[in-house]
Amino acid sequence: MTNETSGPLWTGLELMVAMHARAHGGLPEVVTGVSIDTRSLMPGDVFFAVAGEARDGHDFVKAALAKGAAAAVVDEAHAADMAQLGPLLVVDDVLAALVAAGRASRARSRARVIAVTGSVGKTSTKEALRQTLMGQGRTHASVASYNNHWGVPLTLARMPRETEFGIFEIGMSAPGEIASLVAMVQPDVAVVTTVAPVHLEFFPSVEAIADAKGEIFSGLAPGGTAIINRDSPHFERLKQHALASPAGRIVSFGEREDSDVKLVRAITKPDMSVVEADVMGTLVAYRLGTPGRHLVHNSLAVLAAIQAIGGDLCLAALRFADLAPPEGRGARSELAVQGGSFMLVDESYNANPASMQAALHALGQAAVTLRGRRIAVLGDMLELGAHAQKLHTELARDVVENDVQLVFAAGPQMLNLWHALPMERRAHYADEPGGLETHLASTIRAGDVVMVKGSNGTRISRLVAALKARFPSVHADEAIGA
Ligand SMILES: Nc1ncnc2c1ncn2[C@@H]1O[C@H](COP(=O)(O)OP(=O)(O)OP(=O)(O)O)[C@@H](O)[C@H]1O
Ligand SMILES: [Mg+2]
């Protein structure tokens, strides 16, 4: 027997009703998870045969059921062929069925829900919220950057009915996308971390990006809280979106004196920051376990959101010390090299002008020993359209201002930066990141800090993997010796 707030994730009957599905081959009593990928599917999951970019999920129904899926959600066109494979829930459209399950999950939930969007900082902020709220109640959050037309309904459909805090990342690459995603999520609190020239290829201007981000407020539950970056040049624009939305409250965060959640002081150290913030009159002091000024800003948004949902600020502040950067977003490893070790900063998850500047600034704060140097290994920032050349060239200023002594650059766009750099800072240029490996490996010496960053599409993460394969981890060696 289940009621609204306890019991299994789904009963087969609940799903069938929510999706207006037709059951074939037996209706599972209980469904314990939701999957769209057989590689990560667990027995008891319901498998949605969603169409991907390259393959159709219907190609994997057999594998899903063989792996122990409780049932597979398939469309009418495929149902007849699959009738013998196992329990099926047959629908008109599989993605629409996933959305319907997501909506049903939201409708039954009593969770307080936070939605996070922004040009950069969505995952960092979502993860910080997850980790700081975890100790305060049953918390459910998006996996990785599951922030699009399938990621958002999937995260909703996976939300246990007893969830107390739900945290959703919402992304977009076109106007209107956020409005339709946030309508499913119906958050109590909506955060815009930043607005920056990201995906500029698809938008006429940064203002148009701000408008698209502002759509997040349209889905707020009536009286909900809109949280906006006060330091953003687009603050007023975003505020207009919030004013036109069901929001009952607008909370700003930032360094400016008139921010509601205000940075009082931040001491940024090579491996952490010490922060004091004024959260609408309550002073909160904390240590942030991950370095970088940009993460200090994100922490203000986190505090604003926690306060807005009635969480405990002090408990949250205590958790900040233990935060670790999500993979590829500033994770540090100490690797052995002749005569000692060097620090590898893995920023290879993605890159755009805002996160590139933030990463170069953090590199500038990194501690180097007497002989050590700050080395940036940079791949192209993609999807910048007509602005690409200018935005790459302009990074030369950040390189110099942050005292980055050597730059390894790869890709046609990074050639613009390469030519703009002072001669003494040019280490090596290659057409693609793999072409840097040999030179980079022979240049690195003890005491260096090496930061690797580029857009995901440049595959610069392979260079990080190559460096890790070439230079043993200092801590791993210690563990073996211990
Ligand atoms: N407030 C910020 N300002 C600038 N850079 C940031 C900020 N927050 C995070 N970053 C950096 O931006 C990069 C992407 O961070 P994150 O993954 O949190 O963003 P995202 O918005 O989730 O990205 P995606 O759209 O790819 O899902 C990382 O290098 C991270 O360190
Ligand atoms: Mg993300």
Side-chain angles (χ1 to χ4, degrees):
M1 204 45 209
T2 64
N3 62 36
E4 293 288 293
T5 55
S6 68
L9 180 62
W10 293 103
T11 65
L13 187 64
E14 282 172 335
L15 271 183
M16 189 176 89
V17 171
M19 304 188 304
H20 300 293
R22 171 170 72 78
H24 180 92
L27 188 62
E29 183 102 344
V30 162
V31 165
T32 49
V34 178
S35 172
I36 62 167
D37 187 334
T38 48
R39 288 167 297 185
S40 52
L41 183 136
M42 304 294 285
D45 285 357
V46 59
F47 176 73
F48 282 78
V50 174
E53 270 168 31
R55 298 283 296 273
D56 184 351
H58 290 94
D59 298 344
F60 299 96
V61 167
K62 191 173 176 188
L65 290 165
K67 255 188 122 176
V73 182
V74 302
D75 64 23
E76 288 285 359
H78 293 84
D81 290 348
M82 301 183 168
Q84 304 311 319
L85 296 178
L88 303 178
L89 287 163
V90 185
V91 296
D92 289 340
D93 180 276
V94 177
L95 184 60
L98 183 61
V99 170
R103 284 183 182 278
S105 170
R106 182 67 186 100
R108 75 182 180 186
S109 176
R110 301 211 189 128
R112 280 168 281 174
V113 172
I114 303 171
V116 181
T117 194
S119 300
V120 286
K122 295 183 290 296
T123 299
S124 308
T125 302
K126 179 259 300 178
E127 280 302 307
L129 278 165
R130 189 174 67 78
Q131 291 180 44
T132 49
L133 283 171
M134 236 159 41
Q136 301 190 33
R138 276 165 284 201
T139 301
H140 173 74
S142 315
V143 170
S145 283
Y146 283 12
N147 63 27
N148 63 3
H149 61 285
W150 56 260
V152 172
L154 177 64
T155 306
L156 274 171
R158 285 174 166 178
M159 181 161 70
R161 61 183 90 216
E162 62 274 16
T163 300
E164 293 167 279
F165 301 117
I167 306 151
F168 292 79
E169 175 167 339
I170 298 191
M172 60 99 185
S173 50
E177 257 180 86
I178 288 183
S180 80
L181 295 173
V182 78
M184 298 173 207
V185 174
Q186 298 172 31
D188 303 293
V189 176
V191 182
V192 177
T193 58
T194 52
V195 172
V198 177
H199 304 312
L200 206 45
E201 199 171 86
F202 311 122
F203 288 88
S205 63
V206 186
E207 286 72 23
I209 295 178
D211 288 336
K213 299 289 176 199
E215 289 173 18
I216 196 164
F217 303 131
S218 68
L220 272 170
T225 305
I227 297 180
I228 313 177
N229 188 336
R230 187 68 192 86
D231 302 329
S232 167
H234 306 284
F235 172 77
E236 287 301 335
R237 208 175 180 94
L238 290 165
K239 189 173 161 188
Q240 290 311 314
H241 284 275
L243 286 170
S245 80
R249 222 158 59 107
I250 299 174
V251 174
S252 63
F253 70 91
E255 294 195 22
R256 279 180 54 136
E257 193 54 36
D258 52 356
S259 310
D260 299 314
V261 176
K262 185 171 60 188
L263 183 67
V264 178
R265 188 173 17 205
I267 304 168
T268 47
K269 303 219 172 207
D271 56 348
M272 61 148 177
S273 303
V274 182
V275 188
E276 213 179 309
D278 179 341
V279 185
M280 291 185 269
T282 304
L283 278 183
V284 187
Y286 51 96
R287 191 165 77 92
L288 258 188
T290 45
R293 191 175 51 183
H294 55 301
L295 300 180
V296 173
H297 291 150
N298 293 353
S299 75
L300 300 174
V302 169
L303 290 175
I306 287 177
Q307 211 213 27
I309 54 159
D312 185 319
L313 288 177
C314 292
L315 281 179
L318 282 173
R319 300 300 295 262
F320 275 140
D322 303 324
L323 290 189
E327 201 180 333
R329 299 165 180 86
R332 295 171 172 226
S333 29
E334 194 179 346
L335 304 181
V337 62
Q338 196 176 15
S341 65
F342 71 98
M343 183 74 78
L344 176 66
V345 184
D346 177 8
E347 279 277 0
S348 64
Y349 164 69
N350 222 340
N352 54 61
S355 66
M356 197 58 112
Q357 283 171 347
L360 287 168
H361 184 267
L363 180 59
Q365 305 275 304
V368 288
T369 57
L370 206 53
R371 285 191 69 240
R373 301 147 304 174
R374 297 188 179 88
I375 301 177
V377 184
L378 308 178
D380 283 355
M381 303 181 288
L382 304 177
E383 296 183 350
L384 294 176
H387 306 266
Q389 182 179 352
K390 177 168 173 283
L391 291 168
H392 282 80
T393 306
E394 282 173 359
L395 290 177
R397 198 187 52 216
D398 299 280
V399 167
V400 173
E401 278 178 8
N402 291 299
D403 210 11
V404 176
Q405 284 96 344
L406 289 180
V407 174
F408 287 79
Q413 290 302 340
M414 273 299 164
L415 196 53
N416 296 305
L417 168 65
W418 181 255
H419 289 311
L421 285 172
M423 284 304 280
E424 70 277 10
R425 298 192 194 232
R426 299 186 198 177
H428 191 69
Y429 173 82
D431 293 341
E432 50 88 36
L436 298 175
E437 186 187 337
T438 314
H439 279 86
L440 178 59
S442 61
T443 302
I444 293 173
R445 65 184 186 215
D448 287 345
V449 180
V450 180
M451 187 274 287
V452 183
K453 191 167 185 70
S455 275
N456 212 352
T458 68
R459 305 247 180 259
I460 201 163
S461 54
R462 290 185 187 169
L463 189 53
V464 172
L467 289 175
K468 286 185 173 172
R470 212 180 249 265
F471 300 101
S473 161
V474 167
H475 297 295
D477 281 352
E478 276 170 8
I480 290 163

mmCIF file with all atom_site columns, all heavy atoms in Angstrom, residues 389-403:
data_model
loop_
_atom_site.group_PDB
_atom_site.id
_atom_site.type_symbol
_atom_site.label_atom_id
_atom_site.label_alt_id
_atom_site.label_comp_id
_atom_site.label_asym_id
_atom_site.label_entity_id
_atom_site.label_seq_id
_atom_site.pdbx_PDB_ins_code
_atom_site.Cartn_x
_atom_site.Cartn_y
_atom_site.Cartn_z
_atom_site.occupancy
_atom_site.B_iso_or_equiv
_atom_site.pdbx_formal_charge
_atom_site.auth_seq_id
_atom_site.auth_comp_id
_atom_site.auth_asym_id
_atom_site.auth_atom_id
_atom_site.pdbx_PDB_model_num
ATOM 1   N N   . GLN A 1 389 ? 36.747 35.334 -32.485 1.00 0.00 ? 389 GLN A N   1
ATOM 2   C CA  . GLN A 1 389 ? 38.112 35.843 -32.612 1.00 0.00 ? 389 GLN A CA  1
ATOM 3   C C   . GLN A 1 389 ? 38.429 36.849 -31.504 1.00 0.00 ? 389 GLN A C   1
ATOM 4   O O   . GLN A 1 389 ? 39.444 36.750 -30.815 1.00 0.00 ? 389 GLN A O   1
ATOM 5   C CB  . GLN A 1 389 ? 38.287 36.491 -33.989 1.00 0.00 ? 389 GLN A CB  1
ATOM 6   C CG  . GLN A 1 389 ? 39.695 36.997 -34.197 1.00 0.00 ? 389 GLN A CG  1
ATOM 7   C CD  . GLN A 1 389 ? 39.898 37.617 -35.584 1.00 0.00 ? 389 GLN A CD  1
ATOM 8   O OE1 . GLN A 1 389 ? 39.019 37.535 -36.442 1.00 0.00 ? 389 GLN A OE1 1
ATOM 9   N NE2 . GLN A 1 389 ? 41.046 38.221 -35.772 1.00 0.00 ? 389 GLN A NE2 1
ATOM 10  N N   . LYS A 1 390 ? 37.519 37.788 -31.332 1.00 0.00 ? 390 LYS A N   1
ATOM 11  C CA  . LYS A 1 390 ? 37.714 38.844 -30.330 1.00 0.00 ? 390 LYS A CA  1
ATOM 12  C C   . LYS A 1 390 ? 37.802 38.240 -28.916 1.00 0.00 ? 390 LYS A C   1
ATOM 13  O O   . LYS A 1 390 ? 38.690 38.578 -28.137 1.00 0.00 ? 390 LYS A O   1
ATOM 14  C CB  . LYS A 1 390 ? 36.529 39.813 -30.425 1.00 0.00 ? 390 LYS A CB  1
ATOM 15  C CG  . LYS A 1 390 ? 36.534 40.926 -29.430 1.00 0.00 ? 390 LYS A CG  1
ATOM 16  C CD  . LYS A 1 390 ? 35.471 41.971 -29.819 1.00 0.00 ? 390 LYS A CD  1
ATOM 17  C CE  . LYS A 1 390 ? 35.307 43.058 -28.760 1.00 0.00 ? 390 LYS A CE  1
ATOM 18  N NZ  . LYS A 1 390 ? 34.543 42.629 -27.596 1.00 0.00 ? 390 LYS A NZ  1
ATOM 19  N N   . LEU A 1 391 ? 36.891 37.322 -28.597 1.00 0.00 ? 391 LEU A N   1
ATOM 20  C CA  . LEU A 1 391 ? 36.838 36.773 -27.241 1.00 0.00 ? 391 LEU A CA  1
ATOM 21  C C   . LEU A 1 391 ? 38.068 35.916 -26.928 1.00 0.00 ? 391 LEU A C   1
ATOM 22  O O   . LEU A 1 391 ? 38.498 35.835 -25.785 1.00 0.00 ? 391 LEU A O   1
ATOM 23  C CB  . LEU A 1 391 ? 35.544 35.972 -27.047 1.00 0.00 ? 391 LEU A CB  1
ATOM 24  C CG  . LEU A 1 391 ? 34.278 36.840 -27.022 1.00 0.00 ? 391 LEU A CG  1
ATOM 25  C CD1 . LEU A 1 391 ? 33.019 35.987 -27.113 1.00 0.00 ? 391 LEU A CD1 1
ATOM 26  C CD2 . LEU A 1 391 ? 34.239 37.703 -25.763 1.00 0.00 ? 391 LEU A CD2 1
ATOM 27  N N   . HIS A 1 392 ? 38.644 35.292 -27.945 1.00 0.00 ? 392 HIS A N   1
ATOM 28  C CA  . HIS A 1 392 ? 39.885 34.542 -27.716 1.00 0.00 ? 392 HIS A CA  1
ATOM 29  C C   . HIS A 1 392 ? 41.070 35.501 -27.561 1.00 0.00 ? 392 HIS A C   1
ATOM 30  O O   . HIS A 1 392 ? 41.898 35.323 -26.673 1.00 0.00 ? 392 HIS A O   1
ATOM 31  C CB  . HIS A 1 392 ? 40.139 33.545 -28.857 1.00 0.00 ? 392 HIS A CB  1
ATOM 32  C CG  . HIS A 1 392 ? 39.306 32.311 -28.760 1.00 0.00 ? 392 HIS A CG  1
ATOM 33  N ND1 . HIS A 1 392 ? 37.999 32.269 -29.161 1.00 0.00 ? 392 HIS A ND1 1
ATOM 34  C CD2 . HIS A 1 392 ? 39.581 31.072 -28.258 1.00 0.00 ? 392 HIS A CD2 1
ATOM 35  C CE1 . HIS A 1 392 ? 37.503 31.058 -28.933 1.00 0.00 ? 392 HIS A CE1 1
ATOM 36  N NE2 . HIS A 1 392 ? 38.445 30.320 -28.387 1.00 0.00 ? 392 HIS A NE2 1
ATOM 37  N N   . THR A 1 393 ? 41.128 36.505 -28.427 1.00 0.00 ? 393 THR A N   1
ATOM 38  C CA  . THR A 1 393 ? 42.229 37.468 -28.361 1.00 0.00 ? 393 THR A CA  1
ATOM 39  C C   . THR A 1 393 ? 42.274 38.147 -26.996 1.00 0.00 ? 393 THR A C   1
ATOM 40  O O   . THR A 1 393 ? 43.337 38.333 -26.407 1.00 0.00 ? 393 THR A O   1
ATOM 41  C CB  . THR A 1 393 ? 42.049 38.540 -29.472 1.00 0.00 ? 393 THR A CB  1
ATOM 42  O OG1 . THR A 1 393 ? 41.919 37.860 -30.716 1.00 0.00 ? 393 THR A OG1 1
ATOM 43  C CG2 . THR A 1 393 ? 43.229 39.490 -29.518 1.00 0.00 ? 393 THR A CG2 1
ATOM 44  N N   . GLU A 1 394 ? 41.104 38.501 -26.489 1.00 0.00 ? 394 GLU A N   1
ATOM 45  C CA  . GLU A 1 394 ? 41.038 39.263 -25.234 1.00 0.00 ? 394 GLU A CA  1
ATOM 46  C C   . GLU A 1 394 ? 41.583 38.505 -24.022 1.00 0.00 ? 394 GLU A C   1
ATOM 47  O O   . GLU A 1 394 ? 41.884 39.115 -23.002 1.00 0.00 ? 394 GLU A O   1
ATOM 48  C CB  . GLU A 1 394 ? 39.583 39.667 -24.942 1.00 0.00 ? 394 GLU A CB  1
ATOM 49  C CG  . GLU A 1 394 ? 39.141 40.839 -25.783 1.00 0.00 ? 394 GLU A CG  1
ATOM 50  C CD  . GLU A 1 394 ? 37.663 41.157 -25.631 1.00 0.00 ? 394 GLU A CD  1
ATOM 51  O OE1 . GLU A 1 394 ? 36.956 40.443 -24.874 1.00 0.00 ? 394 GLU A OE1 1
ATOM 52  O OE2 . GLU A 1 394 ? 37.213 42.113 -26.269 1.00 0.00 ? 394 GLU A OE2 1
ATOM 53  N N   . LEU A 1 395 ? 41.688 37.189 -24.148 1.00 0.00 ? 395 LEU A N   1
ATOM 54  C CA  . LEU A 1 395 ? 42.197 36.416 -23.002 1.00 0.00 ? 395 LEU A CA  1
ATOM 55  C C   . LEU A 1 395 ? 43.661 36.758 -22.695 1.00 0.00 ? 395 LEU A C   1
ATOM 56  O O   . LEU A 1 395 ? 44.142 36.480 -21.602 1.00 0.00 ? 395 LEU A O   1
ATOM 57  C CB  . LEU A 1 395 ? 42.076 34.917 -23.272 1.00 0.00 ? 395 LEU A CB  1
ATOM 58  C CG  . LEU A 1 395 ? 40.660 34.343 -23.285 1.00 0.00 ? 395 LEU A CG  1
ATOM 59  C CD1 . LEU A 1 395 ? 40.718 32.866 -23.653 1.00 0.00 ? 395 LEU A CD1 1
ATOM 60  C CD2 . LEU A 1 395 ? 39.994 34.517 -21.921 1.00 0.00 ? 395 LEU A CD2 1
ATOM 61  N N   . ALA A 1 396 ? 44.363 37.367 -23.669 1.00 0.00 ? 396 ALA A N   1
ATOM 62  C CA  . ALA A 1 396 ? 45.775 37.706 -23.450 1.00 0.00 ? 396 ALA A CA  1
ATOM 63  C C   . ALA A 1 396 ? 45.906 38.600 -22.211 1.00 0.00 ? 396 ALA A C   1
ATOM 64  O O   . ALA A 1 396 ? 46.845 38.457 -21.417 1.00 0.00 ? 396 ALA A O   1
ATOM 65  C CB  . ALA A 1 396 ? 46.348 38.401 -24.680 1.00 0.00 ? 396 ALA A CB  1
ATOM 66  N N   . ARG A 1 397 ? 44.939 39.478 -22.033 1.00 0.00 ? 397 ARG A N   1
ATOM 67  C CA  . ARG A 1 397 ? 44.974 40.377 -20.874 1.00 0.00 ? 397 ARG A CA  1
ATOM 68  C C   . ARG A 1 397 ? 44.861 39.568 -19.574 1.00 0.00 ? 397 ARG A C   1
ATOM 69  O O   . ARG A 1 397 ? 45.586 39.816 -18.624 1.00 0.00 ? 397 ARG A O   1
ATOM 70  C CB  . ARG A 1 397 ? 43.819 41.373 -20.974 1.00 0.00 ? 397 ARG A CB  1
ATOM 71  C CG  . ARG A 1 397 ? 43.988 42.582 -20.093 1.00 0.00 ? 397 ARG A CG  1
ATOM 72  C CD  . ARG A 1 397 ? 42.746 43.421 -20.107 1.00 0.00 ? 397 ARG A CD  1
ATOM 73  N NE  . ARG A 1 397 ? 41.580 42.603 -19.798 1.00 0.00 ? 397 ARG A NE  1
ATOM 74  C CZ  . ARG A 1 397 ? 40.380 42.759 -20.346 1.00 0.00 ? 397 ARG A CZ  1
ATOM 75  N NH1 . ARG A 1 397 ? 40.169 43.684 -21.245 1.00 0.00 ? 397 ARG A NH1 1
ATOM 76  N NH2 . ARG A 1 397 ? 39.372 41.986 -20.002 1.00 0.00 ? 397 ARG A NH2 1
ATOM 77  N N   . ASP A 1 398 ? 43.986 38.599 -19.546 1.00 0.00 ? 398 ASP A N   1
ATOM 78  C CA  . ASP A 1 398 ? 43.827 37.774 -18.335 1.00 0.00 ? 398 ASP A CA  1
ATOM 79  C C   . ASP A 1 398 ? 45.094 36.966 -18.045 1.00 0.00 ? 398 ASP A C   1
ATOM 80  O O   . ASP A 1 398 ? 45.466 36.776 -16.894 1.00 0.00 ? 398 ASP A O   1
ATOM 81  C CB  . ASP A 1 398 ? 42.621 36.833 -18.483 1.00 0.00 ? 398 ASP A CB  1
ATOM 82  C CG  . ASP A 1 398 ? 41.334 37.607 -18.669 1.00 0.00 ? 398 ASP A CG  1
ATOM 83  O OD1 . ASP A 1 398 ? 40.791 38.081 -17.682 1.00 0.00 ? 398 ASP A OD1 1
ATOM 84  O OD2 . ASP A 1 398 ? 40.901 37.767 -19.833 1.00 0.00 ? 398 ASP A OD2 1
ATOM 85  N N   . VAL A 1 399 ? 45.733 36.505 -19.106 1.00 0.00 ? 399 VAL A N   1
ATOM 86  C CA  . VAL A 1 399 ? 46.981 35.740 -18.939 1.00 0.00 ? 399 VAL A CA  1
ATOM 87  C C   . VAL A 1 399 ? 48.017 36.614 -18.249 1.00 0.00 ? 399 VAL A C   1
ATOM 88  O O   . VAL A 1 399 ? 48.644 36.219 -17.255 1.00 0.00 ? 399 VAL A O   1
ATOM 89  C CB  . VAL A 1 399 ? 47.507 35.252 -20.314 1.00 0.00 ? 399 VAL A CB  1
ATOM 90  C CG1 . VAL A 1 399 ? 48.937 34.754 -20.215 1.00 0.00 ? 399 VAL A CG1 1
ATOM 91  C CG2 . VAL A 1 399 ? 46.591 34.154 -20.867 1.00 0.00 ? 399 VAL A CG2 1
ATOM 92  N N   . VAL A 1 400 ? 48.170 37.834 -18.727 1.00 0.00 ? 400 VAL A N   1
ATOM 93  C CA  . VAL A 1 400 ? 49.198 38.727 -18.178 1.00 0.00 ? 400 VAL A CA  1
ATOM 94  C C   . VAL A 1 400 ? 48.811 39.175 -16.769 1.00 0.00 ? 400 VAL A C   1
ATOM 95  O O   . VAL A 1 400 ? 49.613 39.095 -15.837 1.00 0.00 ? 400 VAL A O   1
ATOM 96  C CB  . VAL A 1 400 ? 49.402 39.939 -19.122 1.00 0.00 ? 400 VAL A CB  1
ATOM 97  C CG1 . VAL A 1 400 ? 50.330 40.966 -18.484 1.00 0.00 ? 400 VAL A CG1 1
ATOM 98  C CG2 . VAL A 1 400 ? 49.946 39.457 -20.461 1.00 0.00 ? 400 VAL A CG2 1
ATOM 99  N N   . GLU A 1 401 ? 47.562 39.607 -16.607 1.00 0.00 ? 401 GLU A N   1
ATOM 100 C CA  . GLU A 1 401 ? 47.131 40.124 -15.294 1.00 0.00 ? 401 GLU A CA  1
ATOM 101 C C   . GLU A 1 401 ? 47.239 39.075 -14.190 1.00 0.00 ? 401 GLU A C   1
ATOM 102 O O   . GLU A 1 401 ? 47.454 39.412 -13.040 1.00 0.00 ? 401 GLU A O   1
ATOM 103 C CB  . GLU A 1 401 ? 45.680 40.593 -15.374 1.00 0.00 ? 401 GLU A CB  1
ATOM 104 C CG  . GLU A 1 401 ? 45.554 41.987 -15.938 1.00 0.00 ? 401 GLU A CG  1
ATOM 105 C CD  . GLU A 1 401 ? 44.101 42.440 -16.061 1.00 0.00 ? 401 GLU A CD  1
ATOM 106 O OE1 . GLU A 1 401 ? 43.188 41.736 -15.562 1.00 0.00 ? 401 GLU A OE1 1
ATOM 107 O OE2 . GLU A 1 401 ? 43.897 43.487 -16.670 1.00 0.00 ? 401 GLU A OE2 1
ATOM 108 N N   . ASN A 1 402 ? 47.049 37.833 -14.548 1.00 0.00 ? 402 ASN A N   1
ATOM 109 C CA  . ASN A 1 402 ? 47.082 36.785 -13.531 1.00 0.00 ? 402 ASN A CA  1
ATOM 110 C C   . ASN A 1 402 ? 48.450 36.111 -13.434 1.00 0.00 ? 402 ASN A C   1
ATOM 111 O O   . ASN A 1 402 ? 48.586 35.054 -12.815 1.00 0.00 ? 402 ASN A O   1
ATOM 112 C CB  . ASN A 1 402 ? 45.987 35.747 -13.793 1.00 0.00 ? 402 ASN A CB  1
ATOM 113 C CG  . ASN A 1 402 ? 44.609 36.325 -13.550 1.00 0.00 ? 402 ASN A CG  1
ATOM 114 O OD1 . ASN A 1 402 ? 44.302 36.746 -12.438 1.00 0.00 ? 402 ASN A OD1 1
ATOM 115 N ND2 . ASN A 1 402 ? 43.796 36.393 -14.585 1.00 0.00 ? 402 ASN A ND2 1
ATOM 116 N N   . ASP A 1 403 ? 49.429 36.735 -14.071 1.00 0.00 ? 403 ASP A N   1
ATOM 117 C CA  . ASP A 1 403 ? 50.795 36.266 -13.935 1.00 0.00 ? 403 ASP A CA  1
ATOM 118 C C   . ASP A 1 403 ? 50.965 34.811 -14.364 1.00 0.00 ? 403 ASP A C   1
ATOM 119 O O   . ASP A 1 403 ? 51.629 34.034 -13.684 1.00 0.00 ? 403 ASP A O   1
ATOM 120 C CB  . ASP A 1 403 ? 51.230 36.448 -12.457 1.00 0.00 ? 403 ASP A CB  1
ATOM 121 C CG  . ASP A 1 403 ? 52.717 36.702 -12.361 1.00 0.00 ? 403 ASP A CG  1
ATOM 122 O OD1 . ASP A 1 403 ? 53.334 36.940 -13.413 1.00 0.00 ? 403 ASP A OD1 1
ATOM 123 O OD2 . ASP A 1 403 ? 53.253 36.625 -11.235 1.00 0.00 ? 403 ASP A OD2 1
#
